[in-house]
Amino acid sequence: EIVLTQSPGTLSLSPGERVTLSCRASQIVNTMYIAWYQHKPGQAPRLLIFGSSRRPTDIPDRFIGSGSGTDFTLTIDRLEPEDFALYYCQQYGSSPWTFGRGTKVEIK
Amino acid sequence: QVELRESGPGLVKPSETLSLTCAVSGGSISHYYWSWIRQPPGKGLEWIGYIYYTGSTNYNPSLKSRVTISLDAPRHHFSLIVTSVTAADTAVYYCARVKEAYYDGVIGPEAADVWGKGITVTVSS
């Protein structure tokens, strides 16, 4: 199975800062098959990015997905207070689907 | 707005069968895949499997021998059964809706665009 490694484990940042989250795959993943999710305690996970760089219509454009091959990135431009959460990457191109362990973005 | 809600027992005894249901409200069952994902305490998310609205299924090989996902379209819910549970099956269980997409003219699953809030299941005697 494809192992996704997210780094760093935790980031401490201030509102207004730009943050870059990394997701590295153990083998090449087609860009069509990478998603990013935001998860807050007690809430349903929220889809931010699919197809590596595509945003659902209700997701603000400060969330930017990019990457190819084995290296994928989620950038949050200008952190808002509601963006402090856990972020997961996922690949759904190869069975079994797999998730990274997550990066926690916390308030500094 | 589509909402998903998991329901089922919060406590299951070892060796018994875990049964969960996900109620789908506010949207159609058709043209989607319906999936279960879980997160054991202190661990990452683990995909369990999905069922397409046509009834075809795909399971994680690590769980395939013990897992069944079924769909009751007229009643707008889908279910998960895990047999012979152990403490390792203790987790928060999420149901999710997965969009279908066309890949070179072939339909396949995309990302999970709607999730439930999850249900905590503990396996203990």
Short mmCIF file of all heavy atoms in Angstrom, two decimals, chain A residues 10-73:
data_model
loop_
_atom_site.label_atom_id
_atom_site.label_comp_id
_atom_site.label_asym_id
_atom_site.label_seq_id
_atom_site.Cartn_x
_atom_site.Cartn_y
_atom_site.Cartn_z
N THR A 10 3.50 19.09 13.92
CA THR A 10 2.80 20.23 14.50
C THR A 10 3.47 21.52 14.04
O THR A 10 4.69 21.57 13.89
CB THR A 10 2.83 20.19 16.04
OG1 THR A 10 2.25 18.95 16.47
CG2 THR A 10 2.04 21.35 16.64
N LEU A 11 2.65 22.52 13.78
CA LEU A 11 3.14 23.85 13.44
C LEU A 11 2.47 24.86 14.38
O LEU A 11 1.25 24.82 14.54
CB LEU A 11 2.78 24.20 12.01
CG LEU A 11 3.69 23.69 10.89
CD1 LEU A 11 3.03 23.90 9.54
CD2 LEU A 11 5.05 24.37 10.96
N SER A 12 3.28 25.73 14.96
CA SER A 12 2.75 26.80 15.82
C SER A 12 2.88 28.12 15.09
O SER A 12 4.00 28.56 14.79
CB SER A 12 3.51 26.85 17.14
OG SER A 12 3.36 25.64 17.85
N LEU A 13 1.75 28.72 14.77
CA LEU A 13 1.76 29.91 13.93
C LEU A 13 0.78 30.95 14.46
O LEU A 13 -0.07 30.65 15.32
CB LEU A 13 1.37 29.53 12.50
CG LEU A 13 2.32 28.56 11.79
CD1 LEU A 13 1.63 27.91 10.62
CD2 LEU A 13 3.57 29.30 11.33
N SER A 14 0.87 32.14 13.90
CA SER A 14 -0.02 33.23 14.27
C SER A 14 -1.00 33.51 13.14
O SER A 14 -0.66 33.29 11.96
CB SER A 14 0.78 34.49 14.58
OG SER A 14 1.70 34.27 15.63
N PRO A 15 -2.19 34.02 13.47
CA PRO A 15 -3.12 34.42 12.40
C PRO A 15 -2.46 35.39 11.45
O PRO A 15 -1.66 36.26 11.85
CB PRO A 15 -4.27 35.08 13.17
CG PRO A 15 -4.23 34.43 14.52
CD PRO A 15 -2.78 34.19 14.80
N GLY A 16 -2.76 35.23 10.17
CA GLY A 16 -2.18 36.09 9.16
C GLY A 16 -0.96 35.50 8.48
O GLY A 16 -0.55 35.97 7.40
N GLU A 17 -0.33 34.50 9.11
CA GLU A 17 0.85 33.88 8.52
C GLU A 17 0.45 32.93 7.40
O GLU A 17 -0.69 32.45 7.29
CB GLU A 17 1.65 33.12 9.58
CG GLU A 17 2.35 34.02 10.57
CD GLU A 17 3.38 33.26 11.39
OE1 GLU A 17 4.54 33.13 10.90
OE2 GLU A 17 3.05 32.80 12.49
N ARG A 18 1.44 32.62 6.58
CA ARG A 18 1.29 31.66 5.49
C ARG A 18 1.88 30.33 5.96
O ARG A 18 2.94 30.31 6.60
CB ARG A 18 2.03 32.16 4.27
CG ARG A 18 2.03 31.26 3.05
CD ARG A 18 2.91 31.91 1.97
NE ARG A 18 3.12 31.07 0.83
CZ ARG A 18 2.50 31.21 -0.35
NH1 ARG A 18 1.59 32.18 -0.50
NH2 ARG A 18 2.75 30.41 -1.36
N VAL A 19 1.21 29.23 5.69
CA VAL A 19 1.69 27.93 6.14
C VAL A 19 1.73 26.96 4.98
O VAL A 19 0.86 26.97 4.11
CB VAL A 19 0.81 27.39 7.29
CG1 VAL A 19 -0.64 27.26 6.86
CG2 VAL A 19 1.32 26.06 7.79
N THR A 20 2.76 26.12 4.97
CA THR A 20 2.91 25.09 3.94
C THR A 20 3.01 23.74 4.61
O THR A 20 3.89 23.50 5.43
CB THR A 20 4.16 25.36 3.09
OG1 THR A 20 4.03 26.63 2.46
CG2 THR A 20 4.31 24.28 2.02
N LEU A 21 2.10 22.84 4.24
CA LEU A 21 2.07 21.49 4.79
C LEU A 21 2.52 20.51 3.71
O LEU A 21 2.11 20.62 2.55
CB LEU A 21 0.65 21.13 5.24
CG LEU A 21 -0.06 22.15 6.14
CD1 LEU A 21 -1.45 21.65 6.51
CD2 LEU A 21 0.75 22.43 7.38
N SER A 22 3.32 19.54 4.13
CA SER A 22 3.90 18.60 3.17
C SER A 22 3.29 17.21 3.32
O SER A 22 2.98 16.75 4.42
CB SER A 22 5.41 18.52 3.39
OG SER A 22 5.96 17.48 2.62
N CYS A 23 3.16 16.53 2.18
CA CYS A 23 2.67 15.15 2.14
C CYS A 23 3.51 14.41 1.11
O CYS A 23 3.46 14.73 -0.08
CB CYS A 23 1.19 15.14 1.74
SG CYS A 23 0.46 13.48 1.57
N ARG A 24 4.28 13.45 1.58
CA ARG A 24 5.17 12.70 0.68
C ARG A 24 4.68 11.26 0.58
O ARG A 24 4.46 10.59 1.60
CB ARG A 24 6.61 12.75 1.20
CG ARG A 24 7.58 11.90 0.40
CD ARG A 24 9.01 12.32 0.66
NE ARG A 24 9.30 13.63 0.08
CZ ARG A 24 10.47 14.24 0.21
NH1 ARG A 24 11.44 13.68 0.90
NH2 ARG A 24 10.66 15.42 -0.34
N ALA A 25 4.54 10.77 -0.64
CA ALA A 25 4.05 9.42 -0.89
C ALA A 25 5.21 8.45 -1.09
O ALA A 25 6.27 8.83 -1.61
CB ALA A 25 3.15 9.41 -2.11
N SER A 26 5.00 7.19 -0.70
CA SER A 26 6.05 6.17 -0.81
C SER A 26 6.22 5.71 -2.26
O SER A 26 7.19 5.01 -2.57
CB SER A 26 5.71 4.98 0.08
OG SER A 26 4.46 4.41 -0.30
N GLN A 27 5.29 6.06 -3.14
CA GLN A 27 5.43 5.80 -4.57
C GLN A 27 4.63 6.86 -5.32
O GLN A 27 3.82 7.57 -4.73
CB GLN A 27 4.97 4.39 -4.92
CG GLN A 27 3.60 4.00 -4.43
CD GLN A 27 3.30 2.52 -4.66
OE1 GLN A 27 2.92 2.11 -5.74
NE2 GLN A 27 3.45 1.72 -3.61
N ILE A 28 4.87 6.96 -6.59
CA ILE A 28 4.24 8.01 -7.40
C ILE A 28 2.72 7.87 -7.37
O ILE A 28 2.18 6.77 -7.51
CB ILE A 28 4.77 7.96 -8.84
CG1 ILE A 28 6.22 8.42 -8.89
CG2 ILE A 28 3.92 8.85 -9.76
CD1 ILE A 28 6.89 8.25 -10.24
N VAL A 29 2.07 9.03 -7.17
CA VAL A 29 0.60 9.09 -7.18
C VAL A 29 0.17 10.07 -8.26
O VAL A 29 0.69 11.19 -8.33
CB VAL A 29 0.04 9.55 -5.81
CG1 VAL A 29 -1.49 9.64 -5.86
CG2 VAL A 29 0.49 8.62 -4.70
N ASN A 30 -0.74 9.66 -9.10
CA ASN A 30 -1.29 10.57 -10.10
C ASN A 30 -1.94 11.75 -9.40
O ASN A 30 -2.63 11.60 -8.39
CB ASN A 30 -2.32 9.81 -10.96
CG ASN A 30 -2.80 10.61 -12.15
OD1 ASN A 30 -3.33 11.71 -12.00
ND2 ASN A 30 -2.62 10.06 -13.33
N THR A 31 -1.72 12.94 -9.95
CA THR A 31 -2.25 14.14 -9.29
C THR A 31 -3.76 14.12 -9.16
O THR A 31 -4.32 14.85 -8.34
CB THR A 31 -1.83 15.41 -10.06
OG1 THR A 31 -2.28 15.30 -11.41
CG2 THR A 31 -0.33 15.60 -10.01
N MET A 32 -4.44 13.29 -9.96
CA MET A 32 -5.90 13.23 -9.87
C MET A 32 -6.37 12.64 -8.55
O MET A 32 -7.55 12.77 -8.20
CB MET A 32 -6.46 12.39 -11.02
CG MET A 32 -6.32 13.00 -12.38
SD MET A 32 -7.22 12.07 -13.64
CE MET A 32 -6.25 10.57 -13.72
N TYR A 33 -5.47 11.98 -7.82
CA TYR A 33 -5.89 11.14 -6.70
C TYR A 33 -5.39 11.58 -5.34
O TYR A 33 -5.22 10.75 -4.44
CB TYR A 33 -5.47 9.70 -6.98
CG TYR A 33 -6.00 9.14 -8.27
CD1 TYR A 33 -5.14 8.63 -9.23
CD2 TYR A 33 -7.37 9.12 -8.55
CE1 TYR A 33 -5.62 8.11 -10.43
CE2 TYR A 33 -7.86 8.61 -9.74
CZ TYR A 33 -6.97 8.10 -10.67
OH TYR A 33 -7.46 7.59 -11.85
N ILE A 34 -5.12 12.87 -5.16
CA ILE A 34 -4.69 13.39 -3.87
C ILE A 34 -5.74 14.36 -3.32
O ILE A 34 -6.22 15.25 -4.04
CB ILE A 34 -3.33 14.11 -3.98
CG1 ILE A 34 -2.21 13.10 -4.20
CG2 ILE A 34 -3.05 14.95 -2.71
CD1 ILE A 34 -1.86 12.23 -3.02
N ALA A 35 -6.11 14.18 -2.06
CA ALA A 35 -7.05 15.08 -1.39
C ALA A 35 -6.45 15.57 -0.08
O ALA A 35 -5.56 14.93 0.49
CB ALA A 35 -8.37 14.36 -1.12
N TRP A 36 -6.96 16.69 0.37
CA TRP A 36 -6.60 17.25 1.68
C TRP A 36 -7.89 17.51 2.45
O TRP A 36 -8.89 17.99 1.88
CB TRP A 36 -5.84 18.56 1.52
CG TRP A 36 -4.45 18.42 0.98
CD1 TRP A 36 -4.06 18.43 -0.33
CD2 TRP A 36 -3.24 18.29 1.75
NE1 TRP A 36 -2.71 18.29 -0.42
CE2 TRP A 36 -2.18 18.22 0.84
CE3 TRP A 36 -2.97 18.23 3.12
CZ2 TRP A 36 -0.84 18.08 1.25
CZ3 TRP A 36 -1.66 18.09 3.52
CH2 TRP A 36 -0.60 18.02 2.59
N TYR A 37 -7.85 17.22 3.76
CA TYR A 37 -9.00 17.42 4.63
C TYR A 37 -8.59 18.23 5.85
O TYR A 37 -7.45 18.14 6.33
CB TYR A 37 -9.57 16.08 5.12
CG TYR A 37 -10.01 15.16 4.02
CD1 TYR A 37 -9.13 14.24 3.47
CD2 TYR A 37 -11.32 15.21 3.53
CE1 TYR A 37 -9.54 13.38 2.44
CE2 TYR A 37 -11.73 14.36 2.52
CZ TYR A 37 -10.84 13.46 1.98
OH TYR A 37 -11.24 12.61 0.97
N GLN A 38 -9.53 19.00 6.36
CA GLN A 38 -9.38 19.72 7.63
C GLN A 38 -10.27 19.02 8.66
O GLN A 38 -11.41 18.67 8.36
CB GLN A 38 -9.85 21.16 7.46
CG GLN A 38 -9.76 22.01 8.71
CD GLN A 38 -10.47 23.34 8.53
OE1 GLN A 38 -11.70 23.40 8.44
NE2 GLN A 38 -9.71 24.42 8.44
N HIS A 39 -9.72 18.83 9.88
CA HIS A 39 -10.50 18.15 10.91
C HIS A 39 -10.35 18.87 12.23
O HIS A 39 -9.22 19.13 12.70
CB HIS A 39 -10.02 16.70 11.04
CG HIS A 39 -10.96 15.85 11.83
ND1 HIS A 39 -10.60 14.62 12.33
CD2 HIS A 39 -12.25 16.03 12.19
CE1 HIS A 39 -11.63 14.09 12.97
NE2 HIS A 39 -12.64 14.93 12.89
N LYS A 40 -11.48 19.21 12.81
CA LYS A 40 -11.50 19.82 14.14
C LYS A 40 -12.16 18.85 15.11
O LYS A 40 -13.06 18.09 14.71
CB LYS A 40 -12.28 21.15 14.10
CG LYS A 40 -11.64 22.17 13.19
CD LYS A 40 -12.46 23.45 13.14
CE LYS A 40 -11.83 24.46 12.21
NZ LYS A 40 -12.63 25.71 12.11
N PRO A 41 -11.76 18.87 16.38
CA PRO A 41 -12.31 17.92 17.36
C PRO A 41 -13.83 17.96 17.42
O PRO A 41 -14.43 19.04 17.49
CB PRO A 41 -11.69 18.40 18.68
CG PRO A 41 -10.43 19.10 18.28
CD PRO A 41 -10.75 19.77 16.98
N GLY A 42 -14.43 16.78 17.40
CA GLY A 42 -15.88 16.68 17.52
C GLY A 42 -16.65 17.04 16.26
O GLY A 42 -17.89 17.02 16.26
N GLN A 43 -15.93 17.39 15.19
CA GLN A 43 -16.61 17.76 13.94
C GLN A 43 -16.32 16.74 12.85
O GLN A 43 -15.39 15.95 12.94
CB GLN A 43 -16.16 19.15 13.48
CG GLN A 43 -16.50 20.27 14.44
CD GLN A 43 -16.18 21.63 13.87
OE1 GLN A 43 -16.02 21.80 12.66
NE2 GLN A 43 -16.13 22.64 14.73
N ALA A 44 -17.12 16.80 11.82
CA ALA A 44 -16.87 15.98 10.65
C ALA A 44 -15.67 16.54 9.89
O ALA A 44 -15.53 17.76 9.77
CB ALA A 44 -18.10 15.97 9.75
N PRO A 45 -14.78 15.68 9.40
CA PRO A 45 -13.72 16.17 8.52
C PRO A 45 -14.32 16.91 7.32
O PRO A 45 -15.43 16.62 6.88
CB PRO A 45 -13.01 14.88 8.09
CG PRO A 45 -13.27 13.91 9.20
CD PRO A 45 -14.67 14.24 9.65
N ARG A 46 -13.56 17.88 6.82
CA ARG A 46 -14.02 18.75 5.74
C ARG A 46 -13.07 18.64 4.57
O ARG A 46 -11.86 18.81 4.73
CB ARG A 46 -14.06 20.19 6.26
CG ARG A 46 -14.48 21.27 5.28
CD ARG A 46 -14.23 22.63 5.92
NE ARG A 46 -14.69 23.74 5.11
CZ ARG A 46 -14.30 25.01 5.31
NH1 ARG A 46 -13.46 25.28 6.30
NH2 ARG A 46 -14.76 25.97 4.55
N LEU A 47 -13.61 18.37 3.39
CA LEU A 47 -12.78 18.28 2.19
C LEU A 47 -12.34 19.68 1.76
O LEU A 47 -13.18 20.56 1.53
CB LEU A 47 -13.57 17.61 1.07
CG LEU A 47 -12.89 17.52 -0.30
CD1 LEU A 47 -11.65 16.64 -0.24
CD2 LEU A 47 -13.87 17.03 -1.36
N LEU A 48 -11.03 19.86 1.63
CA LEU A 48 -10.47 21.15 1.20
C LEU A 48 -10.03 21.13 -0.26
O LEU A 48 -10.20 22.12 -0.99
CB LEU A 48 -9.26 21.51 2.06
CG LEU A 48 -9.44 21.70 3.55
CD1 LEU A 48 -8.09 21.96 4.20
CD2 LEU A 48 -10.39 22.86 3.83
N ILE A 49 -9.36 20.05 -0.63
CA ILE A 49 -8.74 19.94 -1.95
C ILE A 49 -8.94 18.52 -2.47
O ILE A 49 -8.81 17.56 -1.71
CB ILE A 49 -7.23 20.22 -1.88
CG1 ILE A 49 -6.95 21.65 -1.41
CG2 ILE A 49 -6.54 19.94 -3.24
CD1 ILE A 49 -7.27 22.74 -2.42
N PHE A 50 -9.26 18.37 -3.75
CA PHE A 50 -9.26 17.07 -4.41
C PHE A 50 -8.55 17.22 -5.74
O PHE A 50 -8.36 18.34 -6.24
CB PHE A 50 -10.68 16.52 -4.58
CG PHE A 50 -11.57 17.35 -5.46
CD1 PHE A 50 -11.77 17.01 -6.80
CD2 PHE A 50 -12.21 18.48 -4.98
CE1 PHE A 50 -12.60 17.76 -7.62
CE2 PHE A 50 -13.03 19.25 -5.79
CZ PHE A 50 -13.22 18.90 -7.12
N GLY A 51 -8.11 16.10 -6.30
CA GLY A 51 -7.35 16.18 -7.55
C GLY A 51 -6.12 17.04 -7.41
O GLY A 51 -5.74 17.76 -8.35
N SER A 52 -5.49 17.01 -6.24
CA SER A 52 -4.26 17.74 -5.89
C SER A 52 -4.42 19.25 -5.76
O SER A 52 -3.78 19.87 -4.92
CB SER A 52 -3.14 17.48 -6.91
OG SER A 52 -2.73 16.17 -6.87
N SER A 53 -5.26 19.86 -6.60
CA SER A 53 -5.30 21.32 -6.62
C SER A 53 -6.70 21.90 -6.80
O SER A 53 -6.84 23.13 -6.88
CB SER A 53 -4.40 21.85 -7.74
OG SER A 53 -4.84 21.37 -9.00
N ARG A 54 -7.70 21.06 -6.86
CA ARG A 54 -9.06 21.56 -7.10
C ARG A 54 -9.79 21.78 -5.78
O ARG A 54 -9.69 20.97 -4.86
CB ARG A 54 -9.82 20.57 -7.99
CG ARG A 54 -9.15 20.34 -9.34
CD ARG A 54 -9.79 19.20 -10.09
NE ARG A 54 -11.18 19.50 -10.43
CZ ARG A 54 -12.01 18.60 -10.95
NH1 ARG A 54 -11.60 17.36 -11.17
NH2 ARG A 54 -13.25 18.93 -11.25
N ARG A 55 -10.49 22.90 -5.71
CA ARG A 55 -11.23 23.24 -4.49
C ARG A 55 -12.72 23.05 -4.68
O ARG A 55 -13.26 23.50 -5.70
CB ARG A 55 -11.00 24.72 -4.12
CG ARG A 55 -9.83 25.03 -3.26
CD ARG A 55 -9.89 26.51 -2.84
NE ARG A 55 -10.09 27.39 -3.98
CZ ARG A 55 -9.09 27.90 -4.70
NH1 ARG A 55 -7.85 27.60 -4.39
NH2 ARG A 55 -9.34 28.71 -5.72
N PRO A 56 -13.41 22.44 -3.70
CA PRO A 56 -14.88 22.48 -3.75
C PRO A 56 -15.34 23.94 -3.73
O PRO A 56 -14.61 24.82 -3.27
CB PRO A 56 -15.30 21.75 -2.47
CG PRO A 56 -14.14 20.87 -2.14
CD PRO A 56 -12.92 21.65 -2.59
N THR A 57 -16.55 24.20 -4.21
CA THR A 57 -16.99 25.58 -4.40
C THR A 57 -17.11 26.36 -3.10
O THR A 57 -17.03 27.59 -3.11
CB THR A 57 -18.34 25.59 -5.12
OG1 THR A 57 -19.27 24.78 -4.39
CG2 THR A 57 -18.20 25.06 -6.54
N ASP A 58 -17.26 25.67 -1.97
CA ASP A 58 -17.43 26.37 -0.71
C ASP A 58 -16.12 26.59 0.05
O ASP A 58 -16.14 27.10 1.17
CB ASP A 58 -18.41 25.60 0.19
CG ASP A 58 -17.92 24.21 0.54
OD1 ASP A 58 -17.16 23.64 -0.27
OD2 ASP A 58 -18.30 23.70 1.61
N ILE A 59 -14.99 26.22 -0.52
CA ILE A 59 -13.71 26.36 0.15
C ILE A 59 -13.03 27.67 -0.28
O ILE A 59 -12.88 27.93 -1.48
CB ILE A 59 -12.79 25.16 -0.16
CG1 ILE A 59 -13.44 23.86 0.33
CG2 ILE A 59 -11.41 25.35 0.47
CD1 ILE A 59 -13.75 23.82 1.81
N PRO A 60 -12.59 28.48 0.69
CA PRO A 60 -11.96 29.76 0.35
C PRO A 60 -10.68 29.59 -0.47
O PRO A 60 -9.99 28.57 -0.32
CB PRO A 60 -11.63 30.37 1.72
CG PRO A 60 -12.50 29.65 2.70
CD PRO A 60 -12.71 28.28 2.15
N ASP A 61 -10.37 30.57 -1.28
CA ASP A 61 -9.21 30.44 -2.18
C ASP A 61 -7.87 30.62 -1.47
O ASP A 61 -6.82 30.55 -2.10
CB ASP A 61 -9.33 31.39 -3.37
CG ASP A 61 -9.40 32.85 -2.96
OD1 ASP A 61 -9.22 33.14 -1.76
OD2 ASP A 61 -9.65 33.70 -3.85
N ARG A 62 -7.88 30.82 -0.15
CA ARG A 62 -6.61 30.85 0.58
C ARG A 62 -6.04 29.45 0.76
O ARG A 62 -4.90 29.29 1.15
CB ARG A 62 -6.75 31.55 1.94
CG ARG A 62 -7.64 30.85 2.95
CD ARG A 62 -7.65 31.64 4.27
NE ARG A 62 -8.46 30.99 5.29
CZ ARG A 62 -9.76 31.15 5.42
NH1 ARG A 62 -10.41 31.95 4.58
NH2 ARG A 62 -10.44 30.53 6.38
N PHE A 63 -6.84 28.42 0.49
CA PHE A 63 -6.37 27.04 0.53
C PHE A 63 -5.92 26.64 -0.87
O PHE A 63 -6.72 26.63 -1.81
CB PHE A 63 -7.47 26.10 1.03
CG PHE A 63 -7.85 26.29 2.46
CD1 PHE A 63 -8.92 27.11 2.80
CD2 PHE A 63 -7.12 25.70 3.48
CE1 PHE A 63 -9.27 27.30 4.14
CE2 PHE A 63 -7.46 25.88 4.81
CZ PHE A 63 -8.53 26.69 5.13
N ILE A 64 -4.63 26.32 -0.99
CA ILE A 64 -4.05 26.05 -2.31
C ILE A 64 -3.33 24.71 -2.28
O ILE A 64 -2.44 24.49 -1.46
CB ILE A 64 -3.05 27.16 -2.69
CG1 ILE A 64 -3.76 28.52 -2.67
CG2 ILE A 64 -2.44 26.89 -4.07
CD1 ILE A 64 -2.81 29.70 -2.64
N GLY A 65 -3.72 23.80 -3.15
CA GLY A 65 -3.06 22.51 -3.25
C GLY A 65 -2.17 22.45 -4.47
O GLY A 65 -2.50 23.00 -5.52
N SER A 66 -1.03 21.78 -4.33
CA SER A 66 -0.11 21.66 -5.45
C SER A 66 0.72 20.40 -5.28
O SER A 66 0.65 19.72 -4.26
CB SER A 66 0.81 22.88 -5.54
OG SER A 66 1.61 22.99 -4.37
N GLY A 67 1.53 20.12 -6.30
CA GLY A 67 2.44 19.00 -6.22
C GLY A 67 2.25 17.99 -7.33
O GLY A 67 1.29 18.07 -8.11
N SER A 68 3.17 17.03 -7.38
CA SER A 68 3.11 15.96 -8.36
C SER A 68 4.08 14.86 -7.95
O SER A 68 4.92 15.07 -7.06
CB SER A 68 3.46 16.48 -9.76
OG SER A 68 4.79 16.95 -9.78
N GLY A 69 3.94 13.71 -8.60
CA GLY A 69 4.86 12.61 -8.32
C GLY A 69 4.66 12.04 -6.94
O GLY A 69 3.65 11.38 -6.67
N THR A 70 5.61 12.31 -6.05
CA THR A 70 5.50 11.82 -4.67
C THR A 70 5.39 12.95 -3.66
O THR A 70 5.25 12.68 -2.46
CB THR A 70 6.72 10.95 -4.31
OG1 THR A 70 7.91 11.74 -4.45
CG2 THR A 70 6.82 9.72 -5.20
N ASP A 71 5.47 14.18 -4.11
CA ASP A 71 5.47 15.31 -3.19
C ASP A 71 4.31 16.26 -3.44
O ASP A 71 4.19 16.83 -4.54
CB ASP A 71 6.79 16.09 -3.29
CG ASP A 71 7.96 15.28 -2.77
OD1 ASP A 71 7.85 14.77 -1.64
OD2 ASP A 71 8.96 15.15 -3.50
N PHE A 72 3.50 16.43 -2.41
CA PHE A 72 2.30 17.26 -2.51
C PHE A 72 2.27 18.25 -1.35
O PHE A 72 2.80 17.97 -0.27
CB PHE A 72 1.05 16.38 -2.53
CG PHE A 72 1.02 15.45 -3.71
CD1 PHE A 72 1.61 14.19 -3.64
CD2 PHE A 72 0.47 15.86 -4.91
CE1 PHE A 72 1.62 13.34 -4.74
CE2 PHE A 72 0.48 15.02 -6.01
CZ PHE A 72 1.06 13.77 -5.93
N THR A 73 1.66 19.38 -1.60
CA THR A 73 1.67 20.47 -0.63
C THR A 73 0.30 21.11 -0.52
O THR A 73 -0.40 21.28 -1.52
CB THR A 73 2.69 21.54 -1.08
OG1 THR A 73 4.00 20.96 -1.10
CG2 THR A 73 2.69 22.73 -0.14
#
